[in-house]
Amino acid sequence: MEPITESLTQGWSHLAHTYSPRTIEFVGSGAVLFGAFWIPSLALTTLDLLGPDRVSWRKIQPWAKQPKAAAMKKGLLNCLENQFLTSLIHLALLGATGHSLWRVDSTLPSLREITKQLFLSSIIQEIIFYHAHRALHHPYFYRKIHKKHHEFTTPVALAALYCHPVEYVLSNILPVALPPYILGSHVVVFWMHLASALLLAIVAHCGYELPSISKWKMTVHDMHHEFSKGNFGTIGLCDVLYGTRATDPKALRVSPK
């Protein structure tokens, strides 16, 4: 591992001394934003297009209920629009502040720093996202804004970023970008947090019954889309605290929003 670590350290040091912090932050963030979303989501979309005869993984909801080609295309275009919106906002903030939003040091963060800040970022993200998401389920905001995301009552990977631009800022950009910013994180920690948040969103919306991640199952958020209630958080912490956690579809069928 030492040669790899040394190579990464030297490569980062060269990068930091060659380009400005704002350039590194903007280009790197864009690469993570697009790469960490499109590579896995298009792979899962390919499985969707192959259909039940060629895919062994079981869909949570029946194949007959899966979105049609027109809806998939609409989802793809909206995801692109929202990602470009992210880049425009990021560019505007870099220009307005005149400096990078996250630390761009000439040295990489330690493993201890990375682990600690990723853990704290995931907790803060959960708190921000839960309250923003639950607020969007207020009848007024749901009708005006959040209903767009719930057009996918049977979610697929492309539904992860499919939403109204106001929702995208409130429940996609802020919950992910704000925690590392508050913590004064190294930009590499932010990139890791961004990549993990995107992957979690994709897996949560993929619609497949994949193996659980630390007892976190894909069916949980899938049920939220099917019934438009319950399971508002990302990792389930706030849902447990507020009593909105549900793992049984029967509970959501009879419970209020």
Side-chain angles (χ1 to χ4, degrees):
M1 288 294 292
E2 285 187 9
I4 297 175
T5 304
E6 186 177 345
S7 178
L8 286 172
T9 301
Q10 291 176 351
W12 177 261
S13 179
H14 173 74
L15 193 71
H17 287 98
T18 305
Y19 301 98
S20 71
R22 285 189 294 174
T23 299
I24 293 171
E25 180 183 299
F26 181 73
V27 174
S29 299
V32 173
L33 175 67
F34 285 88
F37 177 76
W38 288 107
I39 293 172
S41 63
L42 288 179
L44 287 163
T45 301
T46 301
L47 294 181
D48 292 336
L49 296 175
L50 289 174
D53 296 333
R54 298 185 181 182
V55 178
S56 58
W57 284 337
R58 196 174 80 85
K59 275 285 188 178
I60 297 169
Q61 297 187 49
W63 278 95
K65 293 180 64 177
Q66 300 305 309
K68 304 304 180 188
M72 299 283 275
K73 181 180 178 182
K74 185 179 178 183
L76 186 150
L77 292 174
N78 181 256
C79 287
L80 276 173
E81 289 171 358
N82 284 333
Q83 286 188 308
F84 280 116
L85 173 63
T86 305
S87 294
L88 285 174
I89 292 173
H90 191 186
L91 194 62
L93 287 172
L94 289 172
T97 60
H99 57 76
S100 56
L101 304 179
W102 295 276
R103 271 182 24 239
V104 185
D105 300 336
S106 58
T107 56
L108 289 170
S110 66
L111 181 59
R112 181 179 180 180
E113 179 185 349
I114 291 172
T115 304
K116 177 183 177 182
Q117 296 207 343
L118 285 179
F119 172 75
L120 291 174
S121 291
S122 67
I123 299 299
I124 298 171
Q125 177 192 351
E126 164 76 358
I127 294 169
I128 298 173
F129 178 82
Y130 178 91
H131 291 91
H133 186 192
R134 193 165 182 182
L136 286 169
H137 272 265
H138 181 279
Y140 177 81
F141 295 119
Y142 185 89
R143 186 175 66 255
K144 295 287 186 179
I145 299 171
H146 193 47
K147 188 176 181 179
K148 182 178 180 71
H149 182 65
H150 276 273
E151 288 175 11
F152 283 90
T153 54
T154 304
V156 291
L158 290 176
L161 299 184
Y162 178 81
C163 60
H164 189 284
V166 172
E167 174 179 349
Y168 188 74
V169 172
L170 293 177
S171 66
N172 288 71
I173 294 178
L174 287 180
V176 176
L178 206 54
Y181 178 79
I182 293 171
L183 296 170
S185 300
H186 192 286
V187 71
V188 170
V189 175
F190 166 63
W191 292 341
M192 290 180 174
H193 179 61
L194 173 59
S196 64
L198 287 167
L199 289 172
L200 183 64
I202 292 165
V203 170
H205 289 85
C206 72
Y208 287 98
E209 209 171 55
L210 303 176
S212 63
I213 304 171
S214 298
K215 297 183 179 181
W216 182 89
K217 296 182 178 181
M218 288 79 244
T219 52
V220 171
H221 194 69
D222 198 284
M223 287 190 291
H224 174 79
H225 272 262
E226 186 176 4
F227 301 106
S228 293
K229 53 188 175 182
N231 299 330
F232 299 104
T234 54
I235 58 177
L237 176 63
C238 285
D239 281 303
V240 171
L241 292 175
Y242 284 102
T244 53
R245 177 81 168 173
T247 56
D248 184 357
K250 293 178 182 178
L252 288 179
R253 286 192 183 99
V254 299
S255 68
K257 286 191 177 184

